[in-house]
């Protein structure tokens, strides 16, 4: 859903809270959630204000390999190769790479190649918590 900012306030509240609950279920309740990425990059002042009221700062990306776009006529291997090539072509020092793992096992496979590449050419730094 890339239209979150267009939804009513009650839904936005539910969505942000539910997302945080799912993150905590995956990583533990003691891990702070400090950042918010608007679906589709569709930030609005109201959406940013709501996320900030929950303690999250907005964050954007500058590399989008479109891993979510697994073309129907592309094999898994072709999709993986495309994601790898896109990241390698677009990444720069300081980049933030947009990636999806929900129903995208090929993205995880692509990162088996990408993480060693990124470590070789860049210093990977976690965002401040």
């Amino acid at each position: 859903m890339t239209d979150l900012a267009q939804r009513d306030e009650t839904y936005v509240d539910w969505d942000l809270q539910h997302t945080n609950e799912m993150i905590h279920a995956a990583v533990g309740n003691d891990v702070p959630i400090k950042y918010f990425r608007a679906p589709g990059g569709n930030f609005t002042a109201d959406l940013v204000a709501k996320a900030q009221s929950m303690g999250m700062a907005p964050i954007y990306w500058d590399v989008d390999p479109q891993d979510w776009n697994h073309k129907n006529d592309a094999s898994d291997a072709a999709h993986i190769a495309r994601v790898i090539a896109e990241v390698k072509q677009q990444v720069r020092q300081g980049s933030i790479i947009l990636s999806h793992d929900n129903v995208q096992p090929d993205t995880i496979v692509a990162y088996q190649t990408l993480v060693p590449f990124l470590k070789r050419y860049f210093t990977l730094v976690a965002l401040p918590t």
Side-chain angles (χ1 to χ4, degrees):
M1 168 201 326
T2 60
D3 65 343
L4 181 61
Q6 304 305 315
R7 303 295 293 262
D8 66 72
E9 186 176 344
T10 302
Y11 184 87
V12 170
D13 289 345
W14 173 85
D15 186 85
L16 292 175
Q17 187 60 42
H18 179 71
T19 299
N20 286 353
E21 289 168 2
M22 300 305 291
I23 292 169
H24 280 138
V27 299
N29 286 327
D30 58 334
V31 176
I33 301 170
K34 295 290 186 180
Y35 301 98
F36 165 74
R37 177 188 66 83
N42 296 320
F43 290 93
T44 64
D46 288 341
L47 193 54
V48 169
K50 178 47 130 175
Q52 287 176 326
S53 77
M54 298 174 71
M56 297 179 288
I59 192 164
Y60 202 80
W61 59 91
D62 65 315
V63 176
D64 181 2
Q66 296 190 5
D67 59 327
W68 49 268
N69 187 14
H70 195 310
K71 296 175 177 36
N72 290 336
D73 60 343
S75 67
D76 289 349
H79 178 77
I80 292 164
R82 182 182 59 79
V83 169
I84 291 168
E86 288 292 327
V87 170
K88 286 182 174 183
Q89 179 183 5
Q90 296 178 41
V91 72
R92 304 287 181 267
Q93 190 65 35
S95 284
I96 295 177
I97 303 168
L98 176 64
S99 297
H100 303 80
D101 66 345
N102 184 27
V103 194
Q104 293 300 328
D106 290 341
T107 295
I108 295 167
V109 172
Y111 274 91
Q112 292 171 347
T113 298
L114 284 169
V115 168
F117 166 82
L118 293 168
K119 284 182 170 181
R120 183 170 163 202
Y121 292 102
F122 301 96
T123 300
L124 303 184
V125 179
L127 292 169
T129 59

